[in-house]
Amino acid sequence: MLDKQSAIPIYVQIEDFLKEQIAQGVYPVKSLIPSERELTDMFGVSRMTVRQSLTNLVKDGLLYREKGRGTFVAEEKMEQPLNGLTSFTEDMKERGLVPGTKLISFSKIHPEPQIAARLGISPDELVYKVVRIRYADDTPMAIERSYLPVELFPTLTEEALQGSLYAFIEKQEKLVIGQATQRMEAALAKTEDAGYLQIALPAAVVLIERVSALMDGRIFEVVRSTYRADRYKFISEIGR
Ligand code: 16G
């Protein structure tokens, strides 16, 4: 299985072997892979070498460890297109998954200056601050902290926010959503967010800020979302 004469380091060869086995379905998603000791015996290499391979595969998101239980095959990441102005609910339904929402808080506040500037309003105006955890088939995928001008949605309720915000805007309010600007960056999850997302620290996350406008140009939301980096990859079509 291993070529000790090869210029490819042994730990990389072990990684490739395990990747191949996973791809072939020898170790299905969420299944336990052999222990460090078993792999050490299987390959006839040192435990250090095996550990290095496993650590790399964990870092790449192909495997995950559970304390006291072992190392498991991770689920494939969700591919999230960056081209369309879709809602979380639509994205999940499109994939045949059941979208879920847990409303953490819903309040009326005066926005901090940066949020007010993004919304194009004065900090004296009121905005809803909404914090929601979004689920796919009961797995927490993202946290959304949304800021919405109260003036635009005087009738917004907690109940509407348990479902789709975009459906409320389009179907109930009969407003037309136009376009948005998104900014993405990488970060480490904060302790509070790791709890919401049920991930072990340290954990990588992707932060996305979306500023969306109605067709008539009025900005209706600033959303700061925290996505699990172990569950998401983002794709965009680009041309030239
Ligand atoms: C997406 C949007 C968010 C929007 C939400 C509405 C990003 C980065 N964020 O999660 O801005 O408020 O969908 O979803 O894509 P809903 O209609 O299911 O409530």
PDB file of all heavy atoms in Angstrom, residues 180-200:
ATOM      1  N   ALA A 180     -28.193  42.846  -3.505  1.00  0.00           N
ATOM      2  CA  ALA A 180     -27.454  42.927  -2.237  1.00  0.00           C
ATOM      3  C   ALA A 180     -25.952  42.976  -2.482  1.00  0.00           C
ATOM      4  O   ALA A 180     -25.474  42.599  -3.550  1.00  0.00           O
ATOM      5  CB  ALA A 180     -27.780  41.714  -1.367  1.00  0.00           C
ATOM      6  N   THR A 181     -25.249  43.457  -1.476  1.00  0.00           N
ATOM      7  CA  THR A 181     -23.786  43.420  -1.485  1.00  0.00           C
ATOM      8  C   THR A 181     -23.362  42.492  -0.357  1.00  0.00           C
ATOM      9  O   THR A 181     -23.890  42.590   0.759  1.00  0.00           O
ATOM     10  CB  THR A 181     -23.199  44.825  -1.187  1.00  0.00           C
ATOM     11  OG1 THR A 181     -23.690  45.726  -2.162  1.00  0.00           O
ATOM     12  CG2 THR A 181     -21.678  44.814  -1.219  1.00  0.00           C
ATOM     13  N   GLN A 182     -22.425  41.579  -0.638  1.00  0.00           N
ATOM     14  CA  GLN A 182     -21.939  40.674   0.402  1.00  0.00           C
ATOM     15  C   GLN A 182     -20.443  40.836   0.605  1.00  0.00           C
ATOM     16  O   GLN A 182     -19.702  40.995  -0.350  1.00  0.00           O
ATOM     17  CB  GLN A 182     -22.239  39.222   0.022  1.00  0.00           C
ATOM     18  CG  GLN A 182     -23.685  38.889   0.154  1.00  0.00           C
ATOM     19  CD  GLN A 182     -23.966  37.388   0.174  1.00  0.00           C
ATOM     20  OE1 GLN A 182     -25.034  37.003   0.579  1.00  0.00           O
ATOM     21  NE2 GLN A 182     -23.039  36.568  -0.240  1.00  0.00           N
ATOM     22  N   ARG A 183     -20.051  40.796   1.860  1.00  0.00           N
ATOM     23  CA  ARG A 183     -18.632  40.809   2.215  1.00  0.00           C
ATOM     24  C   ARG A 183     -18.353  39.547   3.017  1.00  0.00           C
ATOM     25  O   ARG A 183     -19.099  39.235   3.944  1.00  0.00           O
ATOM     26  CB  ARG A 183     -18.302  42.034   3.072  1.00  0.00           C
ATOM     27  CG  ARG A 183     -18.464  43.352   2.358  1.00  0.00           C
ATOM     28  CD  ARG A 183     -18.217  44.505   3.322  1.00  0.00           C
ATOM     29  NE  ARG A 183     -18.148  45.784   2.618  1.00  0.00           N
ATOM     30  CZ  ARG A 183     -19.196  46.521   2.292  1.00  0.00           C
ATOM     31  NH1 ARG A 183     -20.422  46.127   2.608  1.00  0.00           N
ATOM     32  NH2 ARG A 183     -19.043  47.663   1.650  1.00  0.00           N
ATOM     33  N   MET A 184     -17.281  38.850   2.625  1.00  0.00           N
ATOM     34  CA  MET A 184     -16.946  37.581   3.309  1.00  0.00           C
ATOM     35  C   MET A 184     -15.572  37.658   3.922  1.00  0.00           C
ATOM     36  O   MET A 184     -14.660  38.211   3.318  1.00  0.00           O
ATOM     37  CB  MET A 184     -16.871  36.446   2.281  1.00  0.00           C
ATOM     38  CG  MET A 184     -18.173  35.909   1.842  1.00  0.00           C
ATOM     39  SD  MET A 184     -17.900  34.642   0.585  1.00  0.00           S
ATOM     40  CE  MET A 184     -17.321  33.313   1.592  1.00  0.00           C
ATOM     41  N   GLU A 185     -15.430  37.081   5.094  1.00  0.00           N
ATOM     42  CA  GLU A 185     -14.088  36.954   5.668  1.00  0.00           C
ATOM     43  C   GLU A 185     -14.023  35.734   6.580  1.00  0.00           C
ATOM     44  O   GLU A 185     -15.053  35.253   7.061  1.00  0.00           O
ATOM     45  CB  GLU A 185     -13.677  38.224   6.422  1.00  0.00           C
ATOM     46  CG  GLU A 185     -14.568  38.584   7.574  1.00  0.00           C
ATOM     47  CD  GLU A 185     -14.217  39.960   8.147  1.00  0.00           C
ATOM     48  OE1 GLU A 185     -13.066  40.152   8.548  1.00  0.00           O
ATOM     49  OE2 GLU A 185     -15.119  40.814   8.194  1.00  0.00           O
ATOM     50  N   ALA A 186     -12.795  35.275   6.814  1.00  0.00           N
ATOM     51  CA  ALA A 186     -12.593  34.118   7.686  1.00  0.00           C
ATOM     52  C   ALA A 186     -12.373  34.600   9.106  1.00  0.00           C
ATOM     53  O   ALA A 186     -11.892  35.714   9.331  1.00  0.00           O
ATOM     54  CB  ALA A 186     -11.378  33.328   7.214  1.00  0.00           C
ATOM     55  N   ALA A 187     -12.733  33.764  10.073  1.00  0.00           N
ATOM     56  CA  ALA A 187     -12.510  34.109  11.485  1.00  0.00           C
ATOM     57  C   ALA A 187     -12.516  32.835  12.322  1.00  0.00           C
ATOM     58  O   ALA A 187     -12.850  31.764  11.815  1.00  0.00           O
ATOM     59  CB  ALA A 187     -13.599  35.057  11.975  1.00  0.00           C
ATOM     60  N   LEU A 188     -12.159  32.995  13.585  1.00  0.00           N
ATOM     61  CA  LEU A 188     -12.309  31.897  14.538  1.00  0.00           C
ATOM     62  C   LEU A 188     -13.621  32.135  15.278  1.00  0.00           C
ATOM     63  O   LEU A 188     -13.959  33.275  15.597  1.00  0.00           O
ATOM     64  CB  LEU A 188     -11.138  31.875  15.519  1.00  0.00           C
ATOM     65  CG  LEU A 188      -9.809  31.415  14.922  1.00  0.00           C
ATOM     66  CD1 LEU A 188      -8.682  31.600  15.914  1.00  0.00           C
ATOM     67  CD2 LEU A 188      -9.885  29.958  14.467  1.00  0.00           C
ATOM     68  N   ALA A 189     -14.340  31.066  15.549  1.00  0.00           N
ATOM     69  CA  ALA A 189     -15.633  31.193  16.224  1.00  0.00           C
ATOM     70  C   ALA A 189     -15.454  31.735  17.634  1.00  0.00           C
ATOM     71  O   ALA A 189     -14.521  31.351  18.341  1.00  0.00           O
ATOM     72  CB  ALA A 189     -16.323  29.835  16.271  1.00  0.00           C
ATOM     73  N   LYS A 190     -16.355  32.624  18.024  1.00  0.00           N
ATOM     74  CA  LYS A 190     -16.378  33.096  19.412  1.00  0.00           C
ATOM     75  C   LYS A 190     -17.048  32.011  20.261  1.00  0.00           C
ATOM     76  O   LYS A 190     -17.833  31.215  19.745  1.00  0.00           O
ATOM     77  CB  LYS A 190     -17.185  34.386  19.506  1.00  0.00           C
ATOM     78  CG  LYS A 190     -16.538  35.499  18.725  1.00  0.00           C
ATOM     79  CD  LYS A 190     -17.191  36.826  19.053  1.00  0.00           C
ATOM     80  CE  LYS A 190     -16.522  37.930  18.274  1.00  0.00           C
ATOM     81  NZ  LYS A 190     -17.475  38.707  17.495  1.00  0.00           N
ATOM     82  N   THR A 191     -16.738  32.041  21.553  1.00  0.00           N
ATOM     83  CA  THR A 191     -17.257  31.000  22.451  1.00  0.00           C
ATOM     84  C   THR A 191     -18.778  30.897  22.371  1.00  0.00           C
ATOM     85  O   THR A 191     -19.333  29.802  22.246  1.00  0.00           O
ATOM     86  CB  THR A 191     -16.826  31.312  23.896  1.00  0.00           C
ATOM     87  OG1 THR A 191     -15.418  31.519  23.873  1.00  0.00           O
ATOM     88  CG2 THR A 191     -17.149  30.165  24.831  1.00  0.00           C
ATOM     89  N   GLU A 192     -19.451  32.041  22.419  1.00  0.00           N
ATOM     90  CA  GLU A 192     -20.924  32.048  22.381  1.00  0.00           C
ATOM     91  C   GLU A 192     -21.441  31.383  21.092  1.00  0.00           C
ATOM     92  O   GLU A 192     -22.351  30.552  21.125  1.00  0.00           O
ATOM     93  CB  GLU A 192     -21.413  33.501  22.442  1.00  0.00           C
ATOM     94  CG  GLU A 192     -22.912  33.624  22.494  1.00  0.00           C
ATOM     95  CD  GLU A 192     -23.410  35.057  22.267  1.00  0.00           C
ATOM     96  OE1 GLU A 192     -22.626  35.915  21.789  1.00  0.00           O
ATOM     97  OE2 GLU A 192     -24.586  35.289  22.553  1.00  0.00           O
ATOM     98  N   ASP A 193     -20.808  31.744  19.982  1.00  0.00           N
ATOM     99  CA  ASP A 193     -21.257  31.231  18.689  1.00  0.00           C
ATOM    100  C   ASP A 193     -20.952  29.743  18.537  1.00  0.00           C
ATOM    101  O   ASP A 193     -21.735  28.996  17.945  1.00  0.00           O
ATOM    102  CB  ASP A 193     -20.620  32.031  17.548  1.00  0.00           C
ATOM    103  CG  ASP A 193     -21.195  33.439  17.482  1.00  0.00           C
ATOM    104  OD1 ASP A 193     -22.124  33.723  18.266  1.00  0.00           O
ATOM    105  OD2 ASP A 193     -20.721  34.245  16.661  1.00  0.00           O
ATOM    106  N   ALA A 194     -19.822  29.310  19.085  1.00  0.00           N
ATOM    107  CA  ALA A 194     -19.471  27.884  19.022  1.00  0.00           C
ATOM    108  C   ALA A 194     -20.544  27.065  19.757  1.00  0.00           C
ATOM    109  O   ALA A 194     -20.914  25.980  19.328  1.00  0.00           O
ATOM    110  CB  ALA A 194     -18.098  27.637  19.621  1.00  0.00           C
ATOM    111  N   GLY A 195     -21.055  27.636  20.852  1.00  0.00           N
ATOM    112  CA  GLY A 195     -22.135  26.976  21.591  1.00  0.00           C
ATOM    113  C   GLY A 195     -23.391  26.858  20.734  1.00  0.00           C
ATOM    114  O   GLY A 195     -23.977  25.785  20.632  1.00  0.00           O
ATOM    115  N   TYR A 196     -23.768  27.956  20.095  1.00  0.00           N
ATOM    116  CA  TYR A 196     -24.962  27.939  19.237  1.00  0.00           C
ATOM    117  C   TYR A 196     -24.806  26.931  18.097  1.00  0.00           C
ATOM    118  O   TYR A 196     -25.752  26.270  17.696  1.00  0.00           O
ATOM    119  CB  TYR A 196     -25.196  29.314  18.606  1.00  0.00           C
ATOM    120  CG  TYR A 196     -25.682  30.385  19.546  1.00  0.00           C
ATOM    121  CD1 TYR A 196     -25.325  31.728  19.343  1.00  0.00           C
ATOM    122  CD2 TYR A 196     -26.532  30.079  20.617  1.00  0.00           C
ATOM    123  CE1 TYR A 196     -25.785  32.734  20.185  1.00  0.00           C
ATOM    124  CE2 TYR A 196     -26.993  31.087  21.461  1.00  0.00           C
ATOM    125  CZ  TYR A 196     -26.608  32.404  21.235  1.00  0.00           C
ATOM    126  OH  TYR A 196     -27.066  33.397  22.060  1.00  0.00           O
ATOM    127  N   LEU A 197     -23.581  26.883  17.539  1.00  0.00           N
ATOM    128  CA  LEU A 197     -23.353  26.044  16.357  1.00  0.00           C
ATOM    129  C   LEU A 197     -22.962  24.604  16.719  1.00  0.00           C
ATOM    130  O   LEU A 197     -22.768  23.777  15.837  1.00  0.00           O
ATOM    131  CB  LEU A 197     -22.261  26.673  15.469  1.00  0.00           C
ATOM    132  CG  LEU A 197     -22.620  28.019  14.833  1.00  0.00           C
ATOM    133  CD1 LEU A 197     -21.420  28.625  14.124  1.00  0.00           C
ATOM    134  CD2 LEU A 197     -23.775  27.863  13.844  1.00  0.00           C
ATOM    135  N   GLN A 198     -22.822  24.359  18.028  1.00  0.00           N
ATOM    136  CA  GLN A 198     -22.438  23.020  18.513  1.00  0.00           C
ATOM    137  C   GLN A 198     -21.129  22.538  17.898  1.00  0.00           C
ATOM    138  O   GLN A 198     -21.021  21.418  17.397  1.00  0.00           O
ATOM    139  CB  GLN A 198     -23.558  22.012  18.245  1.00  0.00           C
ATOM    140  CG  GLN A 198     -24.827  22.311  19.036  1.00  0.00           C
ATOM    141  CD  GLN A 198     -26.035  21.520  18.556  1.00  0.00           C
ATOM    142  OE1 GLN A 198     -25.907  20.468  17.967  1.00  0.00           O
ATOM    143  NE2 GLN A 198     -27.225  22.045  18.798  1.00  0.00           N
ATOM    144  N   ILE A 199     -20.136  23.422  17.901  1.00  0.00           N
ATOM    145  CA  ILE A 199     -18.819  23.049  17.389  1.00  0.00           C
ATOM    146  C   ILE A 199     -17.788  23.252  18.484  1.00  0.00           C
ATOM    147  O   ILE A 199     -17.966  24.110  19.355  1.00  0.00           O
ATOM    148  CB  ILE A 199     -18.429  23.860  16.113  1.00  0.00           C
ATOM    149  CG1 ILE A 199     -18.647  25.374  16.325  1.00  0.00           C
ATOM    150  CG2 ILE A 199     -19.219  23.378  14.908  1.00  0.00           C
ATOM    151  CD1 ILE A 199     -18.234  26.233  15.149  1.00  0.00           C
ATOM    152  N   ALA A 200     -16.722  22.451  18.438  1.00  0.00           N
ATOM    153  CA  ALA A 200     -15.688  22.520  19.469  1.00  0.00           C
ATOM    154  C   ALA A 200     -14.662  23.592  19.101  1.00  0.00           C
ATOM    155  O   ALA A 200     -14.248  23.693  17.951  1.00  0.00           O
ATOM    156  CB  ALA A 200     -15.015  21.169  19.600  1.00  0.00           C
TER     157      ALA A 200
END
